[in-house]
């Protein structure tokens, strides 16, 4: 890690700069796949599955048989663990339900706001070495609680034409209505336009590589919403002498193993702790299976010493970390005043991986500083609010004149007339 | 209007197609302005203000003096009307505040969700013939209730270098912290990168022409969030013999006067009503100041006769109107079952223009079918939710094993180790 002592505020932007990727060069490929799938549906999907996943499938819809097989393949221990996680995630997301907001703003003018589920949602789960069944839980559980009618999951097939059993097990457990063996750009294009097998959806959720990220951006141009813009995962830890250096090191490493471009930052008011954590990182790093990836991420990462908690907080709000661990003598100060963060982990016994799997909070969080304006995925991500108003004769008599005056001042005659014609009728 | 009788479901997509605009050709201009402003700040902004607005300004920040002048220029009647609207909008949006969601998901595992304001927001208010001070209310009031620290408003200057007094009056009334005389692409680019006078913001709100719409899309590529994608305004009315045909006609026309590309649809189970409404439209149209615009929009619009309320509802959910007026013998059926709409207006005395100005609901709503996945602007649009978790020694002992198992199954060793190291410590 690169240690920086008391940086001056004007250098913060530079210091906090994230590893950037340019995506312009892959937009061409993505657009090409999109157009092909829009025009040729499943035929085109099959072509790209051969090309990108190296497998040719007769049927891409996961059958009941395959799900049964998957259920048998997942160990009882892992099933039990998934059930614990499911229970906690369900409790936390069900608690996020909100009641109808009802206000009679003026006598006879009733206004209310209700949340209704997004009818059709698409969940994308990447393939590759790590089968992200935890992401299935994080997306399918709130979709089910929200009441989404169609919850479609796409995930790429492996060379044997299969999806990892843990993914199928979790999807089946959490009420996914359809599972399709298709990955990458072609999955996102399928969600966007609909094909013979993939239904068109209104919103797409889930992580993915650069191609998936760009495909999701392109999907928005075609009128489909997405959960949030994606970037490499990040962790910022603020810790002082009250923190356990080996715990802090383990948390920084758990973030670093995600990818060489993962961003890991330690902010501290204790130079002693910084030294200890760096020592611990070296010790622990050697023992990890993904040591090379983690080493690269750590090499690009920073330990920042600052004089006091106020400066630390300022710097953290400027950065807006996806994951934010607070381990100090002054935790409440940070918790009360943090403005920009995806999820906050408090105290020595709250590792970030708890939130990744089983505490109950969602692990789909805003990266790349998007915590300044975006929420992580939560129950509301699967709903939209609709407003309603019902005005009585008395109500329109009360507010009618104001509407007429404002519409006239904006030069919108017909808006005014819609009120005048009613007021005249009531005379 | 074009009348369509009992269309078959397979033709709905075609019938409900919206007037589309291609925006690709103006992306070039927008990108050019963005790069220039990113590199040259206010100097570039000034150049484009001369070019696009035809005026050269020494100072673009609206002064206290100018605000005083504006307050004097707005009539007392209009001030009173704006105050009525402000009161209702405030009541309805303040009622949308939500409490912290707190759940102890497992003994010793405390999770909570809190909403915090987006610190810096930019509001864009178009210039042109209609001074949209009502939009100032719709954006600045919830921003203030949410507690956004910086609320910056940009609006283009007229040839005299001024902003319409009603806009300044409303902005000042609703706690806008800075008002800048800059419009179009250059305003959105300023919000995106920051200049010497325009602060960089985290989220941009507000309507605008095609250039502003594309500029907002480009802003998202640079990491700034936007309220929602924009499209031409729309109204769908479902009405039967219980509706007043002249009221319905006035509502359709109030939508039609927005622009020639506005979309107006009447759905009815009564052919008699359709005939009456069309007659009324002809009568009322002749008397409007914006008759040419409204006529063009009406020419492109549709009256659709369907056999029953179930079919009507299906068709309406397929369309997902921005504004939805319900005037039938069966209002509850529509209100209870509508899935996709921005805002719903119920009964004979609830004109759409009530929601545009003064009922209390927000008038910034999803167009173009985006009501299938987007909410209209509401209090939450100015906040983001952050999740927190605090796990005790007992808590990590309870869920630790599940986390270890899941992390191992996903091949993420360091994630597992962050838990193992703590469990070991607790033995």
């Amino acid at each position: 890690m690169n240690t920086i002592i008391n940086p001056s505020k004007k250098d913060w932007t530079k210091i906090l700069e994230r590893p950037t990727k340019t995506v312009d060069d892959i937009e061409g490929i993505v657009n090409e796949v999109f157009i092909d799938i829009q025009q040729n549906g499943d035929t085109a999907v099959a072509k790209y599955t051969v090309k990108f996943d190296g497998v040719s499938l007769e049927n891409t819809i996961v059958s009941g048989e395959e799900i049964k097989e998957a259920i048998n393949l997942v160990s009882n221990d892992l099933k039990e663990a998934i059930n614990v996680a499911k229970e906690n995630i369900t409790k936390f997301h069900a608690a996020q339900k909100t009641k109808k907001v009802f206000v009679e703003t003026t006598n006879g003018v009733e206004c209310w706001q209700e949340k209704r589920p997004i009818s059709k949602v698409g969940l994308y789960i990447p393939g590759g070495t790590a089968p992200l069944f935890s992401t299935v839980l994080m997306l399918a559980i709130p979709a089910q609680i929200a009441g989404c009618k169609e919850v479609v999951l796409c995930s790429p097939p492996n060379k044997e034409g299969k999806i990892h059993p843990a993914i199928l097990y979790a999807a089946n457990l959490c009420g996914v209505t359809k599972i399709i063996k298709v990955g990458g750009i072609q999955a996102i294009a399928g969600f966007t336009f609909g094909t013979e097998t993939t239904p068109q959806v209104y919103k797409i959720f889930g992580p993915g590589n650069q191609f998936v990220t760009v495909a999701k951006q392109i999907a928005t141009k075609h009128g489909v919403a997405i959960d949030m813009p994606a970037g490499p995962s990040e962790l910022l830890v603020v810790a002082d002498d009250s923190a356990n250096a080996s715990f802090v090191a383990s948390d920084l490493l758990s973030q670093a193993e995600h990818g060489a471009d993962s961003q890991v930052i330690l902010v501290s008011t204790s130079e002693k702790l910084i030294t200890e954590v760096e020592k611990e990182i070296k010790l622990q790093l050697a023992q990890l299976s993904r040591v090379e990836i983690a080493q690269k991420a750590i090499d690009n990462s920073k330990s920042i010493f600052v004089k006091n908690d106020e400066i630390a907080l300022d710097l953290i709000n400027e950065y807006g970390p996806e994951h934010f661990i607070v381990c100090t003598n002054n935790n409440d100060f940070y918790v009360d005043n943090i403005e920009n963060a995806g999820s906050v982990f408090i105290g020595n016994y709250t590792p970030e991986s708890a939130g990744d799997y089983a505490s109950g909070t969602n692990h789909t969080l805003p990266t790349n500083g998007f915590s300044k304006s975006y929420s992580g995925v939560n129950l509301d991500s699967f709903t939209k609010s609709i407003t309603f108003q019902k005005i009585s004769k008395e109500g329109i008599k009360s507010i009618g004149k104001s509407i007429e005056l404002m519409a006239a001042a904006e030069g919108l005659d017909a808006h005014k007339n819609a009120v005048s014609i009613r007021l005249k009728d009531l005379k």
Side-chain angles (χ1 to χ4, degrees), chain A:
Chain A
M1 290 179 91
N2 308 296
T3 306
I4 300 154
I5 309 289
N6 275 330
S8 95
K9 193 162 180 172
K10 68 170 176 41
D11 297 328
W12 286 6
T13 312
K14 184 80 199 139
I15 290 167
L16 299 174
E17 214 165 63
R18 289 163 160 97
T20 50
K21 287 181 179 180
T22 45
V23 289
D24 282 349
D25 46 335
I26 62 175
E27 269 198 37
I29 303 167
V30 174
N31 274 321
E32 198 183 296
V33 176
F34 264 59
I35 292 168
D36 198 358
I37 288 174
Q38 184 175 26
Q39 289 171 350
N40 303 308
D42 280 345
T43 316
V45 170
K47 189 175 83 188
Y48 294 109
T49 300
V50 170
K51 186 171 173 185
F52 297 133
D53 300 312
V55 58
S56 174
L57 299 175
E58 266 191 42
N59 193 350
T60 55
I61 300 175
V62 170
S63 66
E65 209 50 52
E66 285 176 282
I67 287 170
K68 267 190 217 155
E69 193 184 279
I71 294 173
N72 285 329
L73 284 169
V74 175
S75 75
N76 285 335
D77 271 0
L78 185 56
K79 276 181 192 158
E80 181 53 35
I82 289 176
N83 285 341
V84 167
K86 179 175 184 258
E87 204 172 309
N88 289 346
I89 297 165
T90 301
K91 276 184 204 162
F92 188 58
H93 287 77
Q96 292 167 24
K97 277 189 195 165
T98 44
K99 292 210 181 95
K100 170 162 134 176
V101 174
F102 182 94
V103 184
E104 190 165 357
T105 54
T106 296
N107 215 352
V109 181
E110 299 179 344
C111 298
W112 67 100
Q113 182 199 44
E114 282 183 52
K115 287 179 185 155
R116 305 245 162 131
I118 298 174
S119 312
K120 304 174 190 190
V121 297
L123 316 183
Y124 183 73
I125 304 295
T129 47
L132 299 182
F133 57 85
S134 60
T135 306
V136 179
L137 303 178
M138 295 296 174
L139 300 178
I141 292 172
Q144 196 178 25
I145 296 171
C148 302
K149 279 185 201 165
E150 282 190 55
V151 183
V152 186
L153 187 150
C154 283
S155 192
N158 62 18
K159 300 281 180 224
E160 286 74 46
K162 299 207 166 176
I163 292 178
H164 193 282
I167 291 178
L168 295 185
Y169 174 77
N172 182 60
L173 188 70
C174 302
V176 168
T177 51
K178 195 174 193 179
I179 307 172
I180 305 169
K181 291 184 269 189
V182 52
I185 310 170
Q186 56 273 28
I188 307 301
F191 280 148
T192 304
F193 303 116
T195 70
E196 298 88 324
T197 36
T198 308
Q200 189 181 33
V201 300
Y202 300 152
K203 191 168 182 178
I204 302 171
F205 295 79
N209 60 17
Q210 269 189 283
F211 292 96
V212 170
T213 300
V214 173
K216 282 172 69 186
Q217 281 168 8
I218 305 279
T220 65
K221 282 200 180 180
H222 293 277
V224 179
I226 61 169
D227 48 359
M228 69 187 84
S233 199
E234 318 158 342
L235 169 67
L236 186 148
V237 180
V238 63
D240 61 16
D241 289 328
S242 71
N244 180 317
S246 82
F247 294 0
V248 172
S250 75
D251 291 325
L252 293 170
L253 286 169
S254 76
Q255 189 56 38
E257 80 172 336
H258 271 301
D261 57 359
S262 288
Q263 177 96 331
V264 175
I265 296 177
L266 171 63
V267 176
S268 183
T269 52
S270 159
E271 289 193 70
K272 180 165 157 269
L273 181 90
I274 290 178
T275 313
E276 282 174 11
V277 169
E278 290 186 348
K279 209 158 57 185
E280 272 292 329
I281 284 178
K282 277 190 198 118
L283 285 174
Q284 293 179 28
L285 189 58
Q287 290 159 41
L288 295 178
S289 56
R290 295 163 76 101
V291 52
E292 278 174 40
I293 292 172
Q295 179 71 61
K296 272 189 202 149
I298 288 291
D299 287 347
N300 291 321
S301 294
K302 286 157 190 134
S303 302
I304 307 174
F305 170 81
V306 292
K307 269 193 214 146
N308 57 47
D309 291 322
E310 286 71 22
I311 297 173
L313 178 75
D314 241 26
L315 182 134
I316 295 159
N317 277 329
E318 175 86 20
Y319 181 66
E322 179 193 12
H323 303 99
F324 174 38
I325 294 183
V326 188
C327 245
T328 70
N329 276 312
N330 209 359
N331 287 351
D332 286 350
F333 169 76
Y334 288 98
V335 169
D336 292 345
N337 295 296
I338 184 73
E339 290 173 5
N340 304 318
S343 194
V344 184
F345 302 78
I346 305 156
N348 270 314
Y349 292 93
T350 314
E352 190 229 289
S353 49
D356 286 337
Y357 293 107
S359 64
T361 61
N362 208 292
H363 79 196
T364 309
L365 296 167
T367 56
N368 214 18
F370 281 111
S371 66
K372 290 169 183 170
S373 52
Y374 282 83
S375 310
V377 164
N378 59 74
L379 187 64
D380 281 347
S381 311
F382 295 88
T383 70
K384 62 258 166 34
S385 66
I386 304 180
T387 54
F388 297 84
Q389 51 244 289
K390 192 174 183 178
I391 304 179
S392 68
K393 292 177 185 174
E394 288 61 43
I396 196 71
K397 278 189 196 169
S398 292
I399 63 168
K401 197 187 154 202
S402 297
I403 301 169
E404 289 181 312
L405 276 161
M406 292 174 76
E410 288 193 353
L412 296 172
D413 258 22
H415 281 64
K416 181 186 172 188
N417 189 52
V419 172
S420 309
I421 206 168
R422 285 165 166 99
L423 292 181
K424 216 177 285 168
D425 184 74
L426 289 173
K427 265 186 186 155

